[in-house]
Amino acid sequence: MRRIALVTLVVDDYDEAIRFYTQALGFRLVEDEPRPDGSRWVVVEPGSEGQGGGLLLARAKDEAQRGRIGDQTGGRVGFFLHTDDFARDHARMRAAGVRFLEEPRHEPYGSVAVFEDLYGNRWDLLQPATG
């Protein structure tokens, strides 16, 4: 069986990124290990253990990487956070200070609203329609 296990997200600071993803978005910190070069291996996941789909939070190492922070997908929504209770998670995230760029929409494919992470990357909070 194949699956995408991790996606790298370039960040400015490990600790502020960990706080945002664990506190504001409710992710779990799976790994935070120092590496010999002074960097860290930091992995956060939104779901239960073993479901996969985690983020590797990688601190930018140079100007080229710093230039990508917050714009890893050219201003498009690049990340999709699925939920089984849109209203609950939307309210919790707003209360935690997450910036939503629009009011919730109810589309044929589900309930959705675009939000930004702490660096400006765009995400969909999405509860897929059952069907």
Side-chain angles (χ1 to χ4, degrees):
M1 174 178 205
R2 294 188 199 185
R3 65 182 172 89
I4 295 174
L6 296 173
V7 173
T8 298
L9 187 68
V10 181
V11 301
D12 187 47
D13 179 84
Y14 292 117
D15 294 322
E16 76 177 357
I18 290 169
R19 271 191 304 279
F20 178 81
Y21 286 99
T22 59
Q23 294 175 14
L25 299 189
F27 285 28
R28 293 178 313 105
L29 178 62
V30 177
E31 294 182 69
D32 184 358
E33 299 294 328
R35 300 187 68 203
D37 65 358
S39 66
R40 289 158 55 185
W41 182 264
V42 178
V43 176
V44 294
E45 290 181 351
S48 301
E49 188 172 349
Q51 288 185 339
L55 295 176
L56 173 65
L57 303 178
R59 186 181 63 206
K61 292 183 180 182
D62 57 31
E63 282 304 313
Q65 289 181 10
R66 275 188 282 285
R68 295 293 185 186
I69 295 171
D71 191 26
Q72 295 194 151
T73 59
R76 292 184 59 105
V77 171
F79 305 95
F80 301 82
L81 182 59
H82 282 199
T83 177
D84 60 355
D85 187 333
F86 182 89
R88 174 200 66 210
D89 288 337
H90 182 263
R92 187 190 59 73
M93 290 167 63
R94 284 184 56 126
V98 174
R99 181 172 177 253
F100 280 85
L101 303 179
E102 63 183 16
E103 292 301 314
R105 294 179 283 124
H106 304 286
E107 303 289 348
Y109 57 85
S111 296
V112 63
V114 177
F115 69 92
E116 288 183 334
D117 68 16
L118 77 162
Y119 298 113
N121 293 300
R122 291 179 178 213
W123 291 67
D124 270 359
L125 176 63
L126 175 64
Q127 181 175 357
T130 56

